[in-house]
Coordinates of all heavy atoms in Angstrom, one line a residue:
M244 N -51.4 -51.4 -39.5 CA -51.4 -50.9 -38.1 C -51.3 -49.4 -38.0 O -50.5 -48.8 -38.7 CB -50.3 -51.6 -37.3 CG -50.3 -51.3 -35.8 SD -49.2 -52.5 -35.0 CE -47.6 -51.6 -35.3
L245 N -52.0 -48.8 -37.1 CA -51.9 -47.4 -36.9 C -50.5 -47.0 -36.4 O -50.0 -47.6 -35.4 CB -53.0 -47.0 -35.9 CG -53.1 -45.5 -35.6 CD1 -53.8 -44.8 -36.7 CD2 -53.9 -45.3 -34.3
D246 N -49.9 -46.0 -37.0 CA -48.7 -45.4 -36.5 C -49.0 -44.7 -35.2 O -49.9 -43.8 -35.2 CB -48.0 -44.4 -37.5 CG -47.3 -45.0 -38.7 OD1 -47.2 -46.3 -38.6 OD2 -47.0 -44.2 -39.6
L247 N -48.3 -45.0 -34.2 CA -48.4 -44.2 -33.0 C -47.2 -43.3 -32.9 O -46.1 -43.8 -32.4 CB -48.6 -45.1 -31.7 CG -49.9 -45.8 -31.6 CD1 -49.8 -46.8 -30.5 CD2 -51.0 -44.9 -31.3
R248 N -47.2 -42.1 -33.4 CA -46.1 -41.3 -33.5 C -45.8 -40.6 -32.1 O -46.7 -40.3 -31.4 CB -46.2 -40.2 -34.6 CG -46.3 -40.8 -36.0 CD -46.4 -39.9 -37.1 NE -46.7 -40.6 -38.3 CZ -47.0 -40.0 -39.5 NH1 -47.0 -38.7 -39.6 NH2 -47.3 -40.7 -40.5
P249 N -44.5 -40.4 -31.8 CA -44.2 -40.0 -30.5 C -44.3 -38.5 -30.1 O -44.1 -38.2 -28.9 CB -42.7 -40.5 -30.4 CG -42.2 -40.3 -31.8 CD -43.4 -40.6 -32.7
N250 N -44.7 -37.7 -31.1 CA -44.7 -36.3 -30.7 C -45.6 -35.6 -31.7 O -46.1 -36.0 -32.7 CB -43.3 -35.8 -30.9 CG -42.8 -35.8 -32.4 OD1 -42.9 -36.8 -33.0 ND2 -42.3 -34.7 -32.9
C251 N -45.9 -34.2 -31.3 CA -46.7 -33.4 -32.1 C -45.8 -32.8 -33.2 O -44.7 -32.4 -33.0 CB -47.2 -32.2 -31.2 SG -48.0 -30.9 -32.2
E252 N -46.4 -32.8 -34.4 CA -45.6 -32.3 -35.5 C -45.4 -30.8 -35.5 O -44.5 -30.2 -36.1 CB -46.5 -32.6 -36.9 CG -45.6 -33.4 -37.8 CD -46.4 -33.8 -39.1 OE1 -46.5 -33.0 -40.0 OE2 -47.0 -34.9 -39.1
C253 N -46.2 -30.1 -34.8 CA -46.2 -28.6 -34.7 C -45.2 -28.2 -33.6 O -44.3 -27.3 -33.9 CB -47.5 -28.0 -34.4 SG -48.6 -28.0 -35.8
C254 N -45.3 -28.6 -32.4 CA -44.6 -28.1 -31.3 C -43.6 -29.1 -30.7 O -43.0 -28.8 -29.7 CB -45.6 -27.6 -30.2 SG -46.6 -28.9 -29.4
N255 N -43.6 -30.3 -31.2 CA -42.7 -31.3 -30.7 C -43.0 -31.9 -29.3 O -42.2 -32.5 -28.7 CB -41.2 -30.8 -30.8 CG -40.3 -32.0 -30.9 OD1 -40.7 -33.1 -31.4 ND2 -39.0 -31.8 -30.7
K256 N -44.2 -31.6 -28.8 CA -44.6 -32.1 -27.5 C -44.6 -33.6 -27.6 O -45.1 -34.2 -28.5 CB -46.0 -31.5 -27.2 CG -46.6 -32.0 -25.9 CD -48.0 -31.4 -25.7 CE -48.5 -31.9 -24.4 NZ -49.8 -31.2 -24.1
D257 N -44.2 -34.3 -26.5 CA -44.3 -35.7 -26.4 C -45.7 -36.2 -26.3 O -46.6 -35.6 -25.6 CB -43.6 -36.2 -25.1 CG -42.1 -36.2 -25.3 OD1 -41.6 -36.3 -26.5 OD2 -41.4 -36.1 -24.4
L258 N -46.1 -37.2 -27.2 CA -47.5 -37.8 -27.2 C -47.3 -39.3 -27.0 O -47.3 -40.0 -28.0 CB -48.2 -37.4 -28.4 CG -48.5 -35.9 -28.6 CD1 -49.0 -35.7 -30.1 CD2 -49.5 -35.4 -27.6
P259 N -47.2 -39.8 -25.8 CA -47.0 -41.2 -25.6 C -48.2 -42.0 -26.0 O -49.3 -41.4 -26.2 CB -46.8 -41.3 -24.0 CG -47.2 -40.0 -23.4 CD -47.2 -39.0 -24.5
P260 N -48.1 -43.3 -26.2 CA -49.2 -44.1 -26.7 C -50.5 -44.1 -25.9 O -51.6 -44.3 -26.5 CB -48.6 -45.5 -26.8 CG -47.2 -45.4 -26.6 CD -46.9 -44.1 -26.0
D261 N -50.3 -43.8 -24.6 CA -51.6 -43.7 -23.8 C -52.0 -42.2 -23.6 O -52.9 -42.0 -22.7 CB -51.3 -44.3 -22.4 CG -50.2 -43.6 -21.6 OD1 -49.5 -42.8 -22.3 OD2 -50.0 -44.0 -20.5
S262 N -51.5 -41.3 -24.3 CA -51.9 -39.9 -24.2 C -53.3 -39.7 -24.7 O -53.7 -40.3 -25.7 CB -50.9 -39.1 -25.0 OG -51.4 -37.7 -25.0
T263 N -54.1 -38.9 -24.0 CA -55.4 -38.5 -24.4 C -55.3 -37.2 -25.2 O -56.3 -36.7 -25.6 CB -56.4 -38.4 -23.3 OG1 -55.8 -37.5 -22.3 CG2 -56.6 -39.7 -22.6
D264 N -54.1 -36.6 -25.4 CA -53.9 -35.4 -25.9 C -53.5 -35.4 -27.4 O -53.2 -34.4 -28.0 CB -52.8 -34.7 -25.1 CG -52.7 -33.2 -25.3 OD1 -53.7 -32.6 -25.5 OD2 -51.5 -32.6 -25.2
A265 N -53.5 -36.6 -28.0 CA -53.1 -36.7 -29.4 C -54.2 -36.7 -30.4 O -55.3 -37.3 -30.1 CB -52.3 -38.1 -29.5
K266 N -54.0 -36.0 -31.5 CA -55.1 -36.0 -32.6 C -54.3 -36.4 -33.8 O -53.2 -36.1 -34.1 CB -55.6 -34.6 -32.8 CG -56.2 -33.9 -31.6 CD -57.6 -34.3 -31.5 CE -58.3 -33.6 -30.4 NZ -59.7 -33.8 -30.4
I267 N -55.1 -37.2 -34.6 CA -54.5 -37.6 -35.9 C -55.5 -37.4 -37.1 O -56.7 -37.3 -36.9 CB -54.1 -39.1 -35.9 CG1 -55.4 -40.0 -35.6 CG2 -53.0 -39.4 -34.9 CD1 -55.2 -41.5 -35.8
C268 N -54.9 -37.3 -38.3 CA -55.8 -37.3 -39.5 C -55.7 -38.7 -40.1 O -55.1 -39.6 -39.6 CB -55.2 -36.3 -40.5 SG -53.8 -36.9 -41.4
S269 N -56.4 -38.9 -41.3 CA -56.5 -40.2 -41.8 C -55.1 -40.7 -42.3 O -54.9 -42.0 -42.6 CB -57.5 -40.2 -43.0 OG -57.0 -39.5 -44.1
F270 N -54.1 -39.8 -42.6 CA -52.8 -40.3 -42.9 C -51.9 -40.4 -41.7 O -50.6 -40.6 -41.8 CB -52.2 -39.3 -43.8 CG -52.9 -39.1 -45.1 CD1 -53.7 -38.1 -45.5 CD2 -52.7 -40.2 -46.2 CE1 -54.5 -38.1 -46.7 CE2 -53.4 -40.1 -47.3 CZ -54.2 -39.0 -47.6
E271 N -52.4 -40.3 -40.5 CA -51.7 -40.4 -39.3 C -50.8 -39.3 -38.9 O -49.8 -39.5 -38.2 CB -51.0 -41.8 -39.2 CG -52.0 -42.9 -39.4 CD -51.3 -44.3 -39.6 OE1 -50.2 -44.3 -40.2 OE2 -51.9 -45.3 -39.4
C272 N -50.9 -38.1 -39.6 CA -50.2 -37.0 -39.2 C -50.7 -36.7 -37.7 O -51.9 -36.9 -37.5 CB -50.6 -35.8 -40.0 SG -50.4 -36.1 -41.8
T273 N -49.8 -36.4 -36.8 CA -50.1 -36.4 -35.4 C -49.8 -35.0 -34.8 O -48.8 -34.4 -35.0 CB -49.2 -37.5 -34.7 OG1 -49.6 -38.8 -35.3 CG2 -49.6 -37.5 -33.2
F274 N -50.8 -34.5 -34.0 CA -50.7 -33.2 -33.4 C -51.2 -33.3 -31.9 O -52.0 -34.2 -31.7 CB -51.5 -32.2 -34.1 CG -51.1 -32.1 -35.6 CD1 -51.8 -32.8 -36.6 CD2 -50.0 -31.3 -36.0 CE1 -51.4 -32.7 -37.9 CE2 -49.6 -31.3 -37.4 CZ -50.3 -32.0 -38.3
C275 N -50.7 -32.4 -31.1 CA -51.3 -32.3 -29.8 C -52.6 -31.6 -29.8 O -52.9 -30.9 -30.8 CB -50.3 -31.7 -28.8 SG -50.1 -29.9 -29.0
N276 N -53.4 -31.7 -28.8 CA -54.7 -31.1 -28.8 C -54.7 -29.6 -28.9 O -55.5 -29.0 -29.6 CB -55.5 -31.6 -27.5 CG -56.9 -31.2 -27.5 OD1 -57.6 -31.5 -28.5 ND2 -57.4 -30.7 -26.4
D277 N -53.7 -29.0 -28.2 CA -53.6 -27.6 -28.3 C -53.4 -27.1 -29.7 O -54.0 -26.1 -30.2 CB -52.4 -27.0 -27.4 CG -52.8 -27.1 -26.0 OD1 -54.0 -27.4 -25.6 OD2 -51.9 -27.0 -25.1
C278 N -52.4 -27.7 -30.4 CA -52.1 -27.2 -31.8 C -53.3 -27.6 -32.7 O -53.7 -26.7 -33.6 CB -50.9 -27.9 -32.3 SG -49.3 -27.5 -31.5
A279 N -53.8 -28.8 -32.5 CA -55.0 -29.2 -33.4 C -56.2 -28.2 -33.2 O -56.8 -27.8 -34.3 CB -55.4 -30.6 -33.1
T280 N -56.3 -27.7 -32.0 CA -57.5 -26.9 -31.8 C -57.2 -25.4 -32.1 O -57.9 -24.7 -32.8 CB -58.0 -27.0 -30.3 OG1 -58.2 -28.4 -30.1 CG2 -59.2 -26.2 -30.0
D281 N -56.1 -24.8 -31.5 CA -55.8 -23.4 -31.5 C -55.2 -23.0 -32.8 O -55.5 -21.9 -33.3 CB -55.0 -23.1 -30.3 CG -55.6 -23.3 -29.0 OD1 -56.9 -23.4 -28.9 OD2 -54.9 -23.4 -28.0
I282 N -54.3 -23.8 -33.3 CA -53.6 -23.4 -34.5 C -54.3 -23.9 -35.8 O -54.5 -23.2 -36.8 CB -52.1 -23.8 -34.5 CG1 -51.4 -23.2 -33.3 CG2 -51.3 -23.5 -35.8 CD1 -50.0 -23.7 -33.1
L283 N -54.6 -25.2 -35.8 CA -55.1 -25.9 -36.9 C -56.6 -25.8 -37.2 O -57.1 -26.2 -38.2 CB -54.5 -27.3 -37.0 CG -53.0 -27.3 -37.0 CD1 -52.5 -28.8 -36.9 CD2 -52.4 -26.7 -38.2
K284 N -57.3 -25.5 -36.1 CA -58.7 -25.4 -36.1 C -59.4 -26.7 -36.6 O -60.3 -26.8 -37.3 CB -59.3 -24.3 -37.1 CG -58.5 -23.0 -36.9 CD -58.8 -22.3 -35.5 CE -58.3 -21.0 -35.4 NZ -58.2 -20.5 -34.0
G285 N -58.8 -27.8 -36.1 CA -59.3 -29.1 -36.4 C -59.0 -29.7 -37.7 O -59.6 -30.8 -38.1
R286 N -58.1 -29.1 -38.5 CA -57.7 -29.6 -39.8 C -56.2 -29.9 -39.8 O -55.4 -29.1 -39.4 CB -58.0 -28.5 -40.9 CG -59.5 -28.2 -41.0 CD -60.1 -29.1 -42.1 NE -61.5 -29.0 -42.1 CZ -62.2 -29.9 -42.8 NH1 -61.6 -30.7 -43.7 NH2 -63.5 -29.9 -42.8
C287 N -55.9 -31.0 -40.5 CA -54.5 -31.4 -40.6 C -53.7 -30.3 -41.4 O -54.1 -29.9 -42.5 CB -54.4 -32.7 -41.3 SG -52.6 -33.2 -41.5
A288 N -52.5 -30.0 -40.9 CA -51.7 -29.0 -41.5 C -51.1 -29.4 -42.9 O -50.8 -28.7 -43.8 CB -50.5 -28.6 -40.7
N289 N -51.1 -30.8 -43.0 CA -50.4 -31.3 -44.3 C -51.5 -31.6 -45.3 O -51.3 -31.3 -46.5 CB -49.7 -32.6 -43.9 CG -48.7 -32.4 -42.9 OD1 -47.9 -31.5 -43.0 ND2 -48.6 -33.3 -41.9
C290 N -52.6 -32.2 -44.9 CA -53.5 -32.7 -46.0 C -54.9 -32.1 -45.9 O -55.7 -32.2 -46.7 CB -53.6 -34.2 -45.8 SG -54.5 -34.8 -44.3
G291 N -55.1 -31.3 -44.8 CA -56.4 -30.6 -44.7 C -57.5 -31.4 -44.2 O -58.6 -31.0 -44.0
G292 N -57.2 -32.7 -43.9 CA -58.3 -33.6 -43.4 C -58.6 -33.3 -41.9 O -57.9 -32.7 -41.2
E293 N -59.7 -33.9 -41.6 CA -60.1 -33.7 -40.2 C -59.2 -34.4 -39.2 O -58.7 -35.5 -39.4 CB -61.6 -34.1 -39.9 CG -61.8 -35.6 -40.1 CD -63.3 -36.0 -40.0 OE1 -64.0 -35.3 -39.1 OE2 -63.7 -36.9 -40.7
L294 N -59.0 -33.8 -38.0 CA -58.3 -34.3 -37.0 C -59.2 -34.9 -35.9 O -60.1 -34.2 -35.4 CB -57.4 -33.2 -36.4 CG -56.2 -32.8 -37.3 CD1 -55.5 -31.5 -36.7 CD2 -55.2 -33.9 -37.6
V295 N -59.0 -36.1 -35.5 CA -59.8 -36.8 -34.5 C -58.9 -37.3 -33.4 O -57.7 -37.4 -33.6 CB -60.6 -37.9 -35.1 CG1 -61.6 -37.4 -36.2 CG2 -59.8 -39.0 -35.7
A296 N -59.5 -37.6 -32.2 CA -58.7 -38.2 -31.1 C -58.1 -39.5 -31.5 O -58.7 -40.3 -32.2 CB -59.7 -38.3 -29.9
R297 N -56.8 -39.6 -31.2 CA -56.1 -40.9 -31.5 C -56.5 -42.0 -30.5 O -56.4 -41.7 -29.3 CB -54.6 -40.7 -31.5 CG -53.8 -41.9 -31.9 CD -52.3 -41.6 -31.9 NE -51.8 -41.4 -30.6 CZ -50.5 -41.1 -30.3 NH1 -49.7 -40.8 -31.3 NH2 -50.1 -41.0 -29.1
P298 N -56.9 -43.1 -30.9 CA -57.2 -44.2 -30.0 C -55.9 -44.6 -29.3 O -54.8 -44.6 -29.8 CB -57.8 -45.3 -30.8 CG -57.3 -45.0 -32.2 CD -57.1 -43.6 -32.3
R299 N -56.1 -45.0 -28.0 CA -54.9 -45.4 -27.2 C -54.7 -46.9 -27.4 O -55.6 -47.6 -27.6 CB -55.1 -45.1 -25.7 CG -55.0 -43.6 -25.5 CD -55.4 -43.3 -24.1 NE -56.9 -43.4 -24.0 CZ -57.5 -43.5 -22.8 NH1 -56.9 -43.5 -21.7 NH2 -58.8 -43.7 -22.8
R300 N -53.4 -47.4 -27.3 CA -53.1 -48.8 -27.4 C -52.7 -49.2 -26.0 O -51.8 -48.6 -25.4 CB -52.0 -48.9 -28.4 CG -51.7 -50.4 -28.7 CD -50.7 -50.5 -29.9 NE -51.2 -49.9 -31.1 CZ -50.5 -49.6 -32.2 NH1 -49.2 -49.9 -32.2 NH2 -51.1 -49.1 -33.2
S301 N -53.2 -50.3 -25.5 CA -53.0 -50.8 -24.2 C -51.5 -51.3 -24.0 O -50.9 -51.7 -25.0 CB -53.9 -51.9 -23.8 OG -53.7 -53.1 -24.6
M302 N -51.0 -51.3 -22.9 CA -49.6 -51.7 -22.6 C -49.4 -53.1 -23.1 O -48.3 -53.4 -23.6 CB -49.3 -51.5 -21.1 CG -49.3 -50.1 -20.6 SD -48.2 -48.9 -21.6 CE -46.6 -49.5 -21.2
E303 N -50.3 -54.0 -22.9 CA -50.0 -55.4 -23.3 C -49.9 -55.5 -24.8 O -49.1 -56.3 -25.4 CB -51.1 -56.4 -22.7 CG -52.4 -56.3 -23.4 CD -53.6 -56.3 -22.4 OE1 -53.5 -55.6 -21.3 OE2 -54.6 -57.0 -22.6
K304 N -50.7 -54.7 -25.6 CA -50.6 -54.7 -27.0 C -49.3 -54.0 -27.5 O -48.7 -54.4 -28.5 CB -51.8 -54.0 -27.7 CG -53.1 -54.6 -27.4 CD -53.3 -55.9 -28.0 CE -54.7 -56.4 -27.7 NZ -54.8 -57.9 -27.9
L305 N -48.8 -53.0 -26.8 CA -47.6 -52.3 -27.1 C -46.4 -53.2 -27.0 O -45.4 -53.0 -27.8 CB -47.4 -51.1 -26.2 CG -48.3 -49.9 -26.5 CD1 -48.2 -48.9 -25.3 CD2 -47.8 -49.2 -27.8
A306 N -46.4 -54.2 -26.2 CA -45.3 -55.1 -26.1 C -45.0 -55.8 -27.4 O -43.8 -55.9 -27.8 CB -45.6 -56.2 -25.0
N307 N -46.0 -56.2 -28.2 CA -45.8 -56.8 -29.5 C -45.9 -55.9 -30.6 O -45.6 -56.2 -31.8 CB -46.7 -58.1 -29.7 CG -46.3 -59.2 -28.7 OD1 -45.1 -59.4 -28.6 ND2 -47.3 -59.8 -28.2
N308 N -46.6 -54.8 -30.4 CA -46.9 -53.8 -31.4 C -46.5 -52.4 -30.9 O -47.3 -51.6 -30.6 CB -48.4 -53.8 -31.7 CG -48.9 -55.2 -32.1 OD1 -48.8 -55.6 -33.2 ND2 -49.5 -55.8 -31.1
P309 N -45.2 -52.2 -30.9 CA -44.7 -51.0 -30.3 C -45.0 -49.7 -31.1 O -45.3 -49.7 -32.3 CB -43.2 -51.2 -30.2 CG -42.8 -52.1 -31.3 CD -44.1 -53.1 -31.4
A310 N -45.1 -48.6 -30.3 CA -45.3 -47.3 -31.0 C -44.1 -46.9 -31.9 O -43.0 -47.4 -31.6 CB -45.6 -46.2 -29.9
M311 N -44.3 -46.0 -32.8 CA -43.2 -45.6 -33.6 C -42.3 -44.7 -32.7 O -42.7 -44.1 -31.7 CB -43.7 -44.7 -34.7 CG -44.2 -45.4 -35.9 SD -44.5 -44.4 -37.3 CE -43.3 -43.1 -37.3
T312 N -41.0 -44.7 -33.0 CA -40.0 -43.9 -32.3 C -39.5 -42.7 -33.1 O -38.9 -41.8 -32.6 CB -38.9 -44.7 -31.8 OG1 -38.2 -45.4 -32.9 CG2 -39.3 -45.7 -30.8
E313 N -39.7 -42.7 -34.4 CA -39.2 -41.7 -35.3 C -40.1 -40.5 -35.2 O -41.3 -40.5 -35.3 CB -39.3 -42.2 -36.8 CG -38.7 -41.3 -37.8 CD -39.0 -41.8 -39.2 OE1 -39.2 -43.0 -39.4 OE2 -38.9 -41.0 -40.1
R314 N -39.4 -39.3 -34.9 CA -40.1 -38.1 -34.6 C -40.3 -37.3 -35.9 O -39.3 -37.2 -36.7 CB -39.4 -37.3 -33.6 CG -39.3 -38.0 -32.2 CD -38.5 -37.1 -31.3 NE -39.3 -36.1 -30.6 CZ -40.0 -36.3 -29.5 NH1 -40.0 -37.4 -28.9 NH2 -40.7 -35.3 -29.0
V315 N -41.5 -36.9 -36.2 CA -41.8 -36.0 -37.3 C -42.1 -34.6 -36.7 O -42.9 -34.5 -35.8 CB -43.0 -36.5 -38.1 CG1 -43.3 -35.6 -39.3 CG2 -42.8 -37.9 -38.6
F316 N -41.3 -33.6 -37.2 CA -41.4 -32.3 -36.5 C -41.2 -31.2 -37.6 O -40.1 -31.3 -38.3 CB -40.5 -32.2 -35.4 CG -40.4 -30.9 -34.7 CD1 -41.5 -30.2 -34.3 CD2 -39.1 -30.2 -34.5 CE1 -41.5 -29.0 -33.7 CE2 -39.1 -28.9 -34.0 CZ -40.3 -28.4 -33.6
K317 N -42.0 -30.3 -37.6 CA -41.8 -29.1 -38.6 C -41.0 -28.0 -37.8 O -41.5 -27.5 -36.8 CB -43.1 -28.5 -39.0 CG -44.0 -29.4 -39.8 CD -45.3 -28.7 -40.2 CE -46.2 -29.7 -40.8 NZ -45.7 -30.5 -41.9
Q318 N -39.7 -27.8 -38.3 CA -38.9 -26.9 -37.6 C -39.5 -25.5 -37.5 O -39.2 -24.8 -36.6 CB -37.5 -26.8 -38.3 CG -36.7 -28.1 -38.3 CD -36.2 -28.5 -37.0 OE1 -36.1 -27.7 -36.1 NE2 -35.9 -29.8 -36.8
N319 N -40.2 -25.1 -38.5 CA -40.7 -23.7 -38.6 C -42.1 -23.6 -38.0 O -42.8 -22.7 -38.3 CB -40.7 -23.2 -40.0 CG -39.2 -23.2 -40.5 OD1 -38.3 -22.9 -39.9 ND2 -39.1 -23.7 -41.8
G320 N -42.6 -24.7 -37.3 CA -44.0 -24.6 -36.9 C -44.9 -24.9 -38.0 O -44.5 -25.2 -39.1
C321 N -46.2 -24.9 -37.7 CA -47.1 -25.3 -38.7 C -48.2 -24.2 -38.8 O -48.5 -23.5 -37.9 CB -47.6 -26.7 -38.6 SG -48.4 -27.0 -37.1
K322 N -48.8 -24.2 -40.0 CA -49.9 -23.3 -40.3 C -51.2 -24.1 -40.6 O -51.1 -25.2 -41.1 CB -49.6 -22.4 -41.4 CG -48.4 -21.5 -41.2 CD -48.3 -20.4 -42.3 CE -47.9 -21.0 -43.6 NZ -46.5 -21.2 -43.9
P323 N -52.3 -23.5 -40.4 CA -53.5 -24.2 -40.9 C -53.6 -24.3 -42.3 O -52.9 -23.6 -43.1 CB -54.7 -23.2 -40.4 CG -54.0 -21.9 -40.0 CD -52.6 -22.2 -39.8
P324 N -54.3 -25.4 -42.8 CA -54.2 -25.7 -44.2 C -55.0 -24.5 -45.0 O -55.8 -23.8 -44.4 CB -55.1 -26.9 -44.4 CG -55.9 -27.0 -43.1 CD -55.0 -26.3 -42.1
A325 N -54.5 -24.2 -46.2 CA -55.1 -23.1 -47.0 C -56.6 -23.4 -47.3 O -57.0 -24.5 -47.5 CB -54.4 -22.9 -48.3
Ligands
LIG140 ZN1 -48.5 -29.3 -30.6
LIG141 ZN1 -52.8 -35.1 -42.7

């Protein structure tokens, strides 16, 4: 199952499961649209993979398949991949 992480790894912005502002890589590293576009230029800060729009999970599915609550956040901000 896809991890639905609760926040952007770069700026700690909240990204709820129904957000249209979330981008993920194939490893489910999660960023907001602003960081993904302006800072990372569409590439994951961790693995260099492409960032795509995260699909949303409907509320009825969330009841049995809840989003993750553990926040992943880089204290020092993030940089585009080398
Ligand atoms: Zn962000
Ligand atoms: Zn990644």
Side-chain angles (χ1 to χ4, degrees):
M244 184 168 82
L245 183 72
D246 284 352
L247 290 170
R248 297 185 186 170
N250 67 311
C251 172
E252 234 177 89
C253 285
C254 68
N255 209 18
K256 178 179 177 175
D257 285 334
L258 295 170
D261 63 349
S262 175
T263 55
D264 197 29
K266 301 273 185 173
I267 58 170
C268 79
S269 71
F270 296 102
E271 302 167 336
C272 309
T273 302
F274 304 96
C275 72
N276 193 43
D277 286 348
C278 292
T280 303
D281 296 341
I282 298 174
L283 300 175
K284 313 294 185 197
R286 294 268 166 186
C287 175
N289 302 316
C290 69
E293 67 182 322
L294 293 171
V295 300
R297 186 177 70 184
R299 287 170 291 161
R300 189 172 298 166
S301 67
M302 292 311 287
E303 73 223 43
K304 300 293 185 198
L305 283 166
N307 289 324
N308 305 280
M311 279 191 32
T312 55
E313 186 187 335
R314 299 176 83 89
V315 179
F316 174 53
K317 295 182 190 305
Q318 297 292 342
N319 301 318
C321 57
K322 297 194 290 279

